[in-house]
Amino acid sequence: MPFMMKCAVILLLTSSCFTWSSAIYTNSRAASKKLKYLLESPVYPEVAGRRGGNVTLPCIIRVKPSHYKVKWTKLQPEHVGPENIIMISNAHAFKPYGPLGQRASLLKAHTMDASLHLSHLELEDGGTYRCELVNGIEDESVDVTLRIEGVVFPYQSKHGRYKFTYHEAKEACAEQDGILASYSQLYRAWTEGLDWCNAGWLHDGTVHYPIIHPRPVCGGELLPGIRSYGPKDKNHDRFDAFCFTSQNSGSLFYISGSFSFEQAERACRRVGAELALVGQLYAAWRFQKYDQCDGGWLRDGSVRFPISNPRERCGGIPEAGVRSFGFPNKSTHLYGSYCYR
């Protein structure tokens, strides 16, 4: 394999370093005002789940008023318009709202339990949820943060650096089995080793890039951290993208060979699969510790290979990550195939 070719290295871009789950509680009222009806002592600092899995967001009633409703909403600080209600429940009825409501139910492990159970988690489900006890006089609420475990990966257009508007970046991530990452997901990836010198769009329309090892072309003498360009024009400014993905239900595998891009596509189809997406390769690397010391075609026309066990003969780089050969000529360059089914 031609390891003299320039490789791009993604350094440990995982978005879940901690193995314990947690639920960040925030009392929506002033810190000095104690809750009367809802239990405010956190059991865990955060709730974590993976795409396709199920989670429970805790909310416990300690004193029941004579008449009340429980309302669960997902907070959307950037959203203008009606609140994103998931469900409203009283002692007699449960009414779901919107797409999240179709996957939601109250746990009801006991008579004081108002915890929300979410099934078949999706990438977009991460964020802050509010459990509100409504009695018309002294409404109270607690907030719970749900973190989707996954991996952040930088993504660049096949036409080169800084080619995406915000909307094109969002579409590019979706085409690679991901979504635009949030700032908190990028920050977590940086704390775990992500060092990337190209600025990329995030979900909120801001542009950033994470630096661990400052160098002249990446912020000069500034300290390590997340470099920020702030909010940019979504329709006219152009950058790369930081995408986020999580585990998936399929399987990824490598077919050895010297294939052009079209031959690689046919090799996958012969075994009932198709060329893998970039996000699927990252998910396999992150969650299955997939390790393959061979460059292979992906569906977007790029050539990459995942390394979980770094060694000298597999790029010579000491960090685990997904190496990239960029977007070589589809006819004249020959590699294996990364397939997914």
Side-chain angles (χ1 to χ4, degrees):
M1 181 175 178
F3 287 111
M4 295 303 291
M5 299 180 67
K6 183 177 179 180
C7 295
V9 182
I10 316 305
L11 303 177
L12 295 175
L13 313 186
T14 62
S15 74
S16 63
C17 173
F18 305 104
T19 56
W20 46 274
S21 299
S22 54
I24 296 175
Y25 277 74
T26 304
N27 182 355
S28 62
R29 297 182 177 269
S32 60
K33 182 176 177 61
K34 293 182 66 66
L35 295 176
K36 178 179 179 180
Y37 300 111
L38 295 175
L39 186 66
E40 57 186 326
S41 300
V43 178
Y44 301 102
E46 188 179 69
V47 170
R50 297 178 182 180
R51 177 170 55 181
N54 306 324
V55 294
T56 297
L57 307 181
C59 182
I60 305 299
I61 302 171
R62 61 177 181 177
V63 177
K64 284 187 178 182
S66 56
H67 302 284
Y68 72 95
K69 296 178 182 178
V70 172
K71 179 173 72 173
W72 275 95
T73 57
K74 184 180 182 187
L75 304 186
Q76 298 174 297
E78 304 151 24
H79 176 72
V80 177
E83 61 183 346
N84 184 7
I85 300 175
I86 301 170
M87 54 75 48
I88 297 176
S89 176
N90 59 25
H92 308 289
F94 172 95
K95 185 174 182 180
Y97 293 84
L100 265 174
Q102 305 308 310
R103 296 184 283 116
S105 61
L106 286 184
L107 187 62
K108 294 185 177 180
H110 49 80
T111 59
M112 310 297 276
D113 188 7
S115 301
L116 186 72
H117 183 76
L118 289 177
S119 60
H120 308 295
L121 289 177
E122 299 177 358
L123 295 177
E124 297 85 354
D125 290 347
T128 302
Y129 292 74
R130 175 164 292 168
C131 173
E132 185 174 4
L133 187 146
V134 182
N135 70 356
I137 301 175
E138 297 179 283
D139 298 348
E140 292 182 354
S141 63
V142 292
D143 295 349
V144 187
T145 294
L146 168 62
R147 177 173 59 86
I148 302 299
E149 294 181 331
V151 55
V152 172
F153 60 96
Y155 192 74
Q156 189 175 91
S157 167
K158 64 182 178 181
H159 301 296
R161 184 172 179 255
Y162 294 173
K163 299 296 183 182
F164 295 138
T165 65
Y166 171 84
H167 306 288
E168 290 167 344
K170 188 175 181 179
E171 183 178 353
C173 289
E175 289 174 351
Q176 300 308 317
D177 192 40
I179 59 174
L180 279 174
S182 67
Y183 182 85
S184 63
Q185 289 166 344
L186 181 66
Y187 181 83
R188 179 180 287 269
W190 171 73
T191 66
E192 296 163 3
L194 175 56
D195 181 283
W196 196 255
C197 198
N198 290 343
W201 290 104
L202 296 182
H203 181 266
D204 62 359
T206 58
V207 174
H208 307 265
Y209 64 100
I211 294 297
I212 291 178
H213 305 292
R215 50 234 190 242
V217 295
C218 300
E221 299 302 319
L222 295 175
L223 294 174
I226 306 291
R227 310 282 193 256
S228 176
Y229 290 177
K232 305 301 288 186
D233 189 313
K234 293 182 178 181
N235 297 314
H236 298 101
D237 290 326
R238 294 181 179 272
F239 295 94
D240 292 341
F242 285 106
C243 305
F244 175 81
T245 194
S246 185
Q247 73 173 8
N248 45 58
S249 58
S251 61
L252 184 140
F253 56 97
Y254 178 77
I255 297 179
S256 179
S258 296
F259 305 132
S260 67
F261 178 78
E262 290 186 359
Q263 291 170 335
E265 285 185 309
R266 290 196 293 270
C268 289
R269 285 198 295 266
R270 282 196 294 269
V271 293
E274 54 189 352
L275 281 175
L277 302 173
V278 176
Q280 292 166 344
L281 181 65
Y282 272 92
W285 169 73
R286 166 64 183 88
F287 292 106
Q288 281 78 52
K289 306 298 182 185
Y290 196 84
D291 184 284
Q292 182 72 44
C293 192
D294 298 281
W297 291 104
L298 297 178
R299 203 184 309 175
D300 67 342
S302 66
V303 172
R304 308 173 194 251
F305 63 102
I307 295 297
S308 294
N309 178 30
R311 54 247 192 227
E312 185 64 29
R313 298 183 63 183
C314 293
I317 299 170
E319 295 84 6
V322 174
R323 321 297 199 229
S324 173
F325 289 144
F327 296 86
N329 185 288
K330 291 183 176 181
S331 300
T332 60
H333 288 72
L334 306 179
Y335 297 94
S337 304
Y338 284 104
C339 305
Y340 181 85
R341 64 183 172 199

